[in-house]
C-alpha cells in the first residue's frame, strides 16, 4: 500500500477484555515498531521487529502486552485483560533501511478502556 | 539509558524565526531525528542528523553537536500551519528510537 495502515482507527472496550490491534507496514519495509502515546504525552516505545531477528520487546509495559509479526508484513499487537490505564493511541511505524531508519507512521488506533 | 530534554511549549509570531532546542544523554548514538506531529495525527519525518553541523531543507534546518549532546530545529518564515508538536528523537544501539516528549509550538498572528 501507499502508507502504513492501522486498524481499527478507534476501539472502545470494557475493562478486562482482550483487544487486537493490526498494522500493515509499507511493502518492502523490513523494520516495524509499535508505540503508545497517552493524551498529551510523548511516544513510548513498545516493541521493534527487524526482519527475521528476534524482536526487541524491552518496551512492553507488562506481560499483558504481546505482539507478533508475520515475516515482513502484518503485525498484531494484543493487549489482554485491558485496564483503564491502557487507554491511549497506539502507533505503528515501518522503516525501509536499518542504517538510517526514517520511520513512516500509521494514523494510529485510539483505544478507550471503559 | 537515554534521556531527551526539550521545552514543553513555545509561542512565536507568523513570519518570524523560532529555534527549538534539544539536549540528550544516551548510551549509544546513531543519529538524531526531528518529527512534526499535528494534533490528532501521526508524526511525520522532518530531518535527520548523524554528523555535526547544519542540515538545511527549505524553511526548516536542523543542527547537531555530538560532543555537546545538543541539537536544534530552526523554523523560518513561520506559517500558521507550523503550529504543531516537534519531537526530538535519538537513535541509540539496536536501532531503537527514543522520543522526547515534544515541544508544542503555537504560531500567532
Amino acid at each position: 500500500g501507499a502508507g502504513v495502515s492501522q486498524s481499527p482507527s478507534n476501539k472502545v472496550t470494557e475493562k478486562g477484555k482482550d483487544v487486537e490491534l493490526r498494522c500493515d507496514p509499507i511493502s518492502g519495509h523490513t523494520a516495524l515498531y509499535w508505540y503508545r502515546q497517552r493524551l498529551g504525552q510523548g511516544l513510548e516505545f513498545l516493541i521493534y521487529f527487524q526482519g527475521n531477528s528476534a524482536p526487541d520487546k524491552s518496551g512492553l509495559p507488562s506481560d499483558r502486552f504481546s505482539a507478533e509479526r508475520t515475516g515482513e508484513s502484518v503485525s498484531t499487537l494484543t493487549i489482554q485483560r485491558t485496564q483503564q490505564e491502557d487507554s491511549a493511541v497506539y502507533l505503528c511505524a515501518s522503516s525501509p533501511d536499518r542504517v538510517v531508519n526514517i520511520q513512516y507512521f500509521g494514523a494510529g488506533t485510539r483505544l478507550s478502556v471503559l | 539509558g537515554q534521556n531527551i530534554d526539550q521545552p514543553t511549549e513555545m509561542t512565536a509570531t507568523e513570519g518570524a524565526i523560532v529555534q527549538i532546542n534539544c539536549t540528550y544523554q544516551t548510551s549509544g548514538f546513531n543519529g538524531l531525528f526531528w518529527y512534526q506531529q499535528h494534533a490528532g495525527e501521526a508524526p511525520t519525518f522532518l530531518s535527520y542528523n548523524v554528523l555535526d553541523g547544519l542540515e538545511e531543507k527549505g524553511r526548516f534546518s536542523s543542527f547537531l553537536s555530538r560532543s555537546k549532546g545538543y541539537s536544534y530545529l530552526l523554523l523560518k518564515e513561520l506559517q500558521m500551519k507550523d503550529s504543531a508538536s516537534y519531537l526530538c528523537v535519538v537513535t541509540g544501539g539496536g536501532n531503537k528510537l527514543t522520543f522526547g516528549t515534544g515541544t508544542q509550538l503555537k504560531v500567532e498572528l
Side-chain angles (χ1 to χ4, degrees), chain B residues 42-81:
Chain B
T44 55
F45 169 77
L46 288 179
S47 68
Y48 172 71
N49 294 71
V50 65
L51 299 176
D52 291 351
L54 188 69
E55 294 282 341
E56 297 186 80
K57 188 186 296 185
R59 294 189 299 115
F60 292 6
S61 303
S62 57
F63 172 83
L64 175 67
S65 169
R66 289 171 296 172
S67 62
K68 296 181 179 178
Y70 168 69
S71 173
Y72 68 72
L73 180 69
L74 192 71
L75 292 77
K76 303 176 185 176
E77 301 168 16
L78 280 173
Q79 303 175 9
M80 298 299 289
K81 67 179 182 180

Side-chain angles (χ1 to χ4, degrees), chain A residues 33 35 37 41-43 45 48 50 56 58 91 97-107 110, chain B residues 30 33 35 37 40-45 48 87 89 91 93-102:
Chain A
Y33 302 75
Y35 298 91
Q37 187 172 31
Q41 297 187 20
L43 273 71
F45 166 79
Y48 161 54
Q50 175 64 57
D56 178 351
S58 60
L91 289 162
D97 190 325
R98 64 185 304 165
V99 176
V100 180
N101 55 343
I102 296 172
Q103 299 194 359
Y104 298 84
F105 284 82
R110 182 174 299 278
Chain B
N30 287 325
F33 296 84
Y35 280 80
Q37 186 177 25
E41 298 181 13
T44 55
F45 169 77
Y48 172 71
L87 310 176
V89 185
T91 302
N95 271 336
K96 187 169 69 178
L97 301 192
T98 300
F99 284 75
T101 54

